[in-house]
Amino acid sequence: MQKYDSRPFLTYSIIAILLMLGLGLVLAQLTKNFVADVIEERVKNEAQYLSEFVNDASDLQQLDESSRQLNIGMIYVTQEKEVLLNNTEDILRLSNKEMTTVQHFITDSDGNFSDYQKGYLREHMFFYPIQTNSSSLDGSLILVLKISSLVNVTSNIWLIIGITMFIGILVMATLGRNIFEKYIKPIRSASGVADELAKGNYRARTYEGNFGEAEKLTTSINVLARNLQEMTMQKQMQKDRLEAVISNMGNGLMLIDEKGYIHLVNRAFLESFGGSSSDYLGYLYYEAVKEEEIHKAVKEVFMTEETVRNSFILPLQIERRFLEVLGAPIINHEKEWKGVVLVFHDITELKHLEQMRKDFVANVSHELKTPITSIRGFSETLLQGAMEDEALREQFINIILKESERLQSLIHDLLELSKLEKEGFHLNIESVSLKELIEDIVPIVEQQAKEKDITINQNIHEGETIRADSARLKQVVMNMLTNAINYTPQQGEVGIELHSNDDYMEIIVKDTGIGIPEEDIPRIFERFYRVDKARSRNSGGTGLGLAIVKHIVEAHEGWIEVESEYQKGTAFHIYLPKKFTKT
């Protein structure tokens, strides 16, 4: 059984005990007085009756006999304080203490018992003196009676009071517990739950199952708690969803109130502009953000109350990012102005793609224009009479053939690159031994290397079989070896290595050629990009080889890395997975 607060029970118990003690004292005193009055009345009548027989000393013998018959002790004291009769010890069987009480009563009275209508109660002994007026014998007759019944009655009264008190306390405890369980405890529990609800703990509940008003109270409190908890959960869910959407937006977001103070920035905004949220929240927008285009956009929204779109460049260390800011006014249902929301779109990639498209069109136009112009020019020269000169004719025809081959190679690479970039492009996956594939390709490029007195070094260990497109990988290795030979000067070295890792096969193609400047490395895989444009054209390259290589490697779920030092050499690391997971 659950414990309950004992303070009210203790208070009521103490009050009941005090009341019962007071009642006991009153009853004991009333009983004592009643018994004393009854005894006094009896003794008074007997004393008056017996006093009439006292005439001389010879009558004392008769009094002694009468006292024994009445079982009442008698003491006769003369005026000279002489005790002529005292049979109290024999009749009443007094103890030493009681004898002392009798002696003290006789001594203290000094024989003066003129007030014969009054009795004396001392130590549960009743003394009733009466004056005798005999001519021969003058003194006082004292009747003594032990009142043991008074002690018993008093004891019984206290016993009854004690039993009644015990039963009353048990009844009070039972009733108190019942009242507490049915009324006080539910109210206290409801009060405690109300306090918890006030503190924001909406999971608190009070127990139900009572009756009457307490049941209504606890039921109402629980219904209130459940409603508050449900409302809080829905509000928290909406808040979490909103925070998740805002935090994970790909675009930066800034919320400014009607006074110009920043109230919200998301993660994408901080990634673009740097700093933490504490650097922006609570500050005026023109103090926290330094870009003038943003200031203009906010001012324009405030003035026009319409959506505004601006673009600007955000410098970040060595790179630049192109951002587009979209500002819109915040107006509630009551048409009240609440502030401005700014959304920042990172259009850097779009700018780069647009620039690449422009460069691609320009490069294709330039690359096609050069051989076509050469072919047309030499053809016109031949038609104008140079055909008659056999040596000149042969020279021009060879140039036309060379330029047409270059034009054919360029168109072929463009078609190949276009095919690789198509969505429907797929690889012919089969088991391929990279060791055998490389050993088949090296003899093909050895003749080209011998013409420049370049040594090809091979470091090919036993390679594992992988799942790949054999024809496309041959194209990759051929392109890499051809580039290495083309960009390596006379008497240089070109190396090819094959290594096996846990999950990947690594092909390394390195040379001792002209190298690549550090600032050009990120762009070497772009179409038509050349580090040394004159050398590239002289070598017959189209500027599309590395772009094709990158697309083929990535189609195999691999990647390519470059290490280069200008004028010292370059190393390309191609990583191909052993297991091809695409279908």
Side-chain angles (χ1 to χ4, degrees):
M1 185 176 291
Q2 296 180 346
K3 295 183 178 179
Y4 62 93
D5 196 345
S6 60
R7 285 178 294 179
F9 173 71
L10 290 176
T11 302
Y12 298 143
S13 297
I14 291 172
I15 293 174
I17 291 171
L18 293 176
L19 290 175
M20 296 298 286
L21 289 175
L23 179 62
L25 292 174
V26 172
L27 287 177
Q29 188 62 37
L30 290 175
T31 303
K32 181 179 179 181
N33 293 336
F34 175 75
V35 172
D37 290 341
V38 171
I39 293 173
E40 183 177 4
E41 186 66 26
R42 171 196 166 190
V43 175
K44 178 181 178 182
N45 294 332
E46 291 177 351
Q48 290 178 354
Y49 173 75
L50 293 175
S51 64
E52 295 178 357
F53 295 96
V54 181
N55 293 318
D56 53 25
S58 61
D59 292 333
L60 295 178
Q61 183 66 31
Q62 185 179 356
L63 286 175
D64 181 55
E65 293 176 1
S66 298
S67 67
R68 293 181 185 277
Q69 292 176 359
L70 296 174
N71 197 27
I72 297 177
M74 289 187 182
I75 302 172
Y76 192 84
V77 182
T78 64
Q79 292 288 345
E80 290 80 14
K81 301 180 183 180
E82 182 182 0
V83 178
L84 300 180
L85 175 64
N86 185 359
N87 58 8
T88 56
E89 183 178 2
D90 295 335
I91 296 175
L92 301 180
R93 297 178 182 176
L94 302 178
S95 62
N96 293 332
K97 183 178 180 181
E98 291 171 337
M99 286 294 297
T100 303
T101 302
V102 172
Q103 190 63 37
H104 285 171
F105 181 79
I106 297 172
T107 305
D108 294 342
S109 63
D110 295 332
N112 184 17
F113 300 103
S114 58
D115 190 9
Y116 58 86
Q117 293 183 347
K118 182 179 179 182
Y120 299 89
L121 185 62
R122 294 186 181 181
E123 299 291 339
H124 305 295
M125 296 181 68
F126 187 76
F127 298 88
Y128 191 84
I130 188 171
Q131 192 76 26
T132 60
N133 296 318
S134 175
S135 57
S136 60
L137 187 63
D138 188 11
S140 297
L141 178 63
I142 303 172
L143 273 66
V144 182
L145 185 65
K146 289 179 65 175
I147 314 178
S148 57
S149 59
L150 180 60
V151 178
N152 296 332
V153 170
T154 304
S155 300
N156 292 333
I157 289 173
W158 284 113
L159 178 61
I160 293 171
I161 290 174
I163 295 173
T164 304
M165 187 184 303
F166 179 73
I167 295 173
I169 290 174
L170 289 180
V171 172
M172 288 176 57
T174 304
L175 292 176
R177 179 179 292 274
N178 191 30
I179 293 172
F180 180 84
E181 292 289 339
K182 292 183 178 180
Y183 297 100
I184 299 176
K185 187 176 180 180
I187 293 174
R188 288 186 178 177
S189 177
S191 176
V193 172
D195 290 339
E196 291 296 320
L197 294 178
K199 295 176 182 177
N201 179 18
Y202 301 132
R203 295 183 179 180
R205 297 290 185 276
T206 180
Y207 66 91
E208 299 180 7
N210 305 297
F211 59 89
E213 299 300 325
E215 181 182 10
K216 294 180 181 179
L217 176 62
T218 54
T219 303
S220 299
I221 288 290
N222 285 340
V223 170
L224 175 63
R226 282 191 289 270
N227 291 339
L228 288 174
Q229 184 180 11
E230 185 176 354
M231 291 172 59
T232 304
M233 289 176 61
Q234 292 177 354
K235 183 178 179 182
Q236 187 63 38
M237 289 174 61
Q238 293 176 355
K239 181 181 177 182
D240 293 341
R241 290 171 184 170
L242 183 61
E243 288 181 353
V245 170
I246 292 175
S247 298
N248 294 285
M249 283 178 60
N251 300 320
L253 181 70
M254 176 187 287
L255 185 64
I256 302 173
D257 66 9
E258 67 275 11
K259 296 181 181 179
Y261 289 94
I262 300 174
H263 279 205
L264 175 68
V265 291
N266 68 345
R267 184 165 47 193
F269 176 88
L270 297 177
E271 290 175 355
S272 297
F273 290 86
S276 62
S277 57
S278 59
D279 298 327
Y280 299 93
L281 299 182
Y283 292 92
L284 291 167
Y285 71 92
Y286 52 80
E287 294 178 351
V289 182
K290 304 303 180 184
E291 283 67 23
E292 290 295 332
E293 292 296 329
I294 298 178
H295 299 173
K296 292 179 182 178
V298 175
K299 292 176 182 178
E300 190 173 349
V301 173
F302 272 107
M303 289 186 295
T304 63
E305 297 187 5
E306 294 180 355
T307 301
V308 175
R309 188 188 300 270
N310 285 335
S311 299
F312 64 96
I313 299 174
L314 181 67
L316 295 174
Q317 297 179 355
I318 62 173
E319 65 172 338
R320 297 186 307 167
R321 301 185 70 86
F322 295 88
L323 295 179
E324 182 183 63
V325 56
L326 179 66
I330 303 174
I331 302 174
N332 62 11
H333 298 292
E334 287 77 21
K335 305 299 181 180
E336 294 177 349
W337 179 273
K338 290 298 180 181
V340 176
V341 60
L342 300 178
V343 180
F344 299 87
H345 301 280
D346 189 345
I347 58 174
T348 305
E349 196 67 27
L350 293 176
K351 288 288 185 181
H352 288 167
L353 290 175
E354 183 180 358
Q355 187 63 38
M356 288 177 62
R357 180 184 62 80
K358 292 179 180 179
D359 292 344
F360 178 74
V361 172
N363 288 328
V364 168
S365 301
H366 180 73
E367 295 294 337
L368 291 175
K369 180 180 178 181
T370 301
I372 290 174
T373 302
S374 297
I375 292 172
R376 180 178 178 178
F378 286 111
S379 298
E380 289 177 349
T381 304
L382 289 173
L383 291 174
Q384 290 174 0
M387 192 178 295
E388 303 299 330
D389 188 342
E390 185 176 350
L392 192 60
R393 180 179 61 194
E394 183 177 356
Q395 180 184 357
F396 284 2
I397 291 176
N398 285 330
I399 293 173
I400 291 172
L401 177 62
K402 183 178 178 182
E403 292 297 327
S404 64
E405 289 176 349
R406 181 181 173 188
L407 181 61
Q408 182 182 13
S409 176
L410 177 62
I411 293 173
H412 175 269
D413 285 348
L414 284 172
L415 293 174
E416 190 71 19
L417 188 60
S418 176
K419 187 188 299 183
L420 291 173
E421 291 178 341
K422 281 185 179 180
E423 277 189 28
F425 170 75
H426 66 277
L427 300 171
N428 297 318
I429 301 300
E430 58 184 340
S431 296
V432 178
S433 172
L434 291 180
K435 179 176 181 296
E436 295 178 0
L437 184 144
I438 294 173
E439 289 175 348
D440 291 341
I441 293 175
V442 170
I444 299 175
V445 297
E446 277 184 342
Q447 182 61 36
Q448 182 184 356
K450 288 179 180 178
E451 292 176 1
K452 297 179 68 175
D453 197 16
I454 293 174
T455 303
I456 299 179
N457 300 317
Q458 300 183 51
N459 183 13
I460 302 173
H461 301 285
E462 289 294 333
E464 300 180 21
T465 300
I466 66 171
R467 300 286 295 171
D469 188 329
S470 175
R472 293 296 180 184
L473 290 186
K474 284 183 179 179
Q475 189 176 359
V476 169
V477 176
M478 179 70 73
N479 266 326
M480 298 307 299
L481 287 175
T482 302
N483 277 350
I485 293 171
N486 287 338
Y487 292 102
T488 300
Q490 296 284 339
Q491 298 180 348
E493 293 183 359
V494 172
I496 182 167
E497 300 178 5
L498 179 63
H499 301 284
S500 177
N501 298 320
D502 293 337
D503 300 318
Y504 294 89
M505 296 293 292
E506 180 184 7
I507 301 174
I508 303 175
V509 178
K510 54 186 179 180
D511 59 58
T512 58
I514 61 174
I516 304 172
E518 184 178 356
E519 63 273 11
D520 291 325
I521 290 178
R523 300 193 62 190
I524 60 174
F525 294 102
E526 294 180 10
R527 301 163 183 169
F528 299 110
Y529 185 81
R530 293 185 175 93
V531 177
D532 187 340
K533 295 178 174 57
R535 182 185 295 271
S536 299
R537 288 195 177 90
N538 293 335
S539 65
T542 62
L544 298 174
L546 288 180
I548 294 173
V549 167
K550 182 181 179 183
H551 276 81
I552 294 175
V553 171
E554 289 179 349
H556 282 83
E557 301 177 339
W559 71 93
I560 184 169
E561 295 178 355
V562 184
E563 294 178 356
S564 182
E565 189 173 352
Y566 189 58
Q567 299 298 339
K568 289 188 177 181
T570 305
F572 287 86
H573 299 260
I574 301 171
Y575 297 91
L576 298 170
K578 294 180 180 179
K579 294 181 181 180
F580 187 78
T581 58
K582 290 184 180 179
T583 56

